[in-house]
Amino acid sequence: MSLISCPHGAPPPPPPPAPEPKASRVRTSRVADAGTPSTAVRSSVARASATRVPGTPAPAPVRRSPITKPGRTPQAAYRPYLLSVVAAADGRIEREPALEALGRRMADVLQRDDLAVGPSGELRWRTAAQKERRAMLDAGLLRSGGPGVWELTRAGYDALDAFRAALAASEASEASEATEASEAQSSAPAEPGDVEPDDAEPPTA
């Protein structure tokens, strides 16, 4: 008679051993030389730099000074015209008539961009003229004669006289140079090719 072992009497067989986990491969990026980030890293940094975080203000654009912008009259060039406008009105004039007279005096001086409308809704040359008027107040050349009234000071009259003297000296110098150039040209000996046919010697036989 064969012996049959009781399933309840014998201990269960041990479980099979668990397989060892495979080590995952770590992928490393190749670096061309020490201290130099890879192309992917550089691209990520560039994208991050170019992306503005929501809620943060955009960088302010670089603005050039209006004086250096091409196509505009420098602000300082308005000064002698402003002085002459106020002086022509007996040294006292209101703002709007002053600007109208200034526009007529500077009609041949103002450039294309001066005639454009600025961000304030006013013509650029009018804005520049009023900025120069404030600078002249600070310099003591003008004073406020009341709301909207421009008044010339003694220093303003002196500055106008200096501008006129400098202009007269410049015009005299230009006229003298033109006269000297004309005299030098007329006294220069004629070149052989400049001899008129009537003055040429007859051919010898």
Side-chain angles (χ1 to χ4, degrees):
M1 182 173 116
S2 60
L3 296 177
I4 302 175
S5 61
C6 178
H8 300 286
E20 296 182 0
K22 294 183 179 181
S24 60
R25 296 178 60 186
V26 178
R27 301 185 63 179
T28 58
S29 60
R30 184 172 57 184
V31 180
D33 52 82
T36 303
S38 63
T39 303
V41 174
R42 289 195 301 268
S43 301
S44 300
V45 172
R47 287 194 299 270
S49 302
T51 304
R52 182 165 61 90
V53 178
T56 59
V62 178
R63 297 183 182 273
R64 297 176 61 191
S65 171
I67 295 179
T68 61
K69 282 190 175 182
R72 292 194 194 179
T73 304
Q75 180 178 311
Y78 291 83
R79 179 165 297 191
Y81 294 96
L82 284 168
L83 290 172
S84 62
V85 164
V86 183
D90 295 331
R92 182 183 175 90
I93 188 173
E94 294 183 354
R95 170 185 174 273
E96 195 57 34
L99 290 175
E100 291 176 359
L102 181 67
R104 292 191 296 269
R105 287 178 181 262
M106 299 186 66
D108 296 333
V109 178
L110 296 176
Q111 303 183 49
R112 182 187 62 186
D113 291 348
D114 295 326
L115 306 176
V117 177
S120 64
E122 193 169 26
L123 294 176
R124 293 184 185 276
W125 73 265
R126 290 172 64 97
T127 302
Q130 294 176 84
K131 287 182 178 179
E132 182 58 23
R133 179 253 177 185
R134 287 193 291 270
M136 294 166 66
L137 281 171
D138 296 338
L141 305 180
L142 291 177
R143 61 170 169 259
S144 177
V149 177
W150 302 355
E151 190 171 328
L152 205 59
T153 64
R154 182 67 260 172
Y157 279 108
D158 293 341
L160 180 59
D161 291 339
F163 277 120
R164 287 173 173 169
L167 179 61
S170 176
E171 291 177 347
S173 176
E174 291 178 358
S176 176
E177 291 177 359
T179 302
E180 292 176 359
S182 178
E183 291 176 352
Q185 184 177 3
S186 61
S187 62
E191 296 293 333
D194 296 337
V195 178
E196 296 294 334
D198 295 341
D199 299 335
E201 296 181 358
T204 58

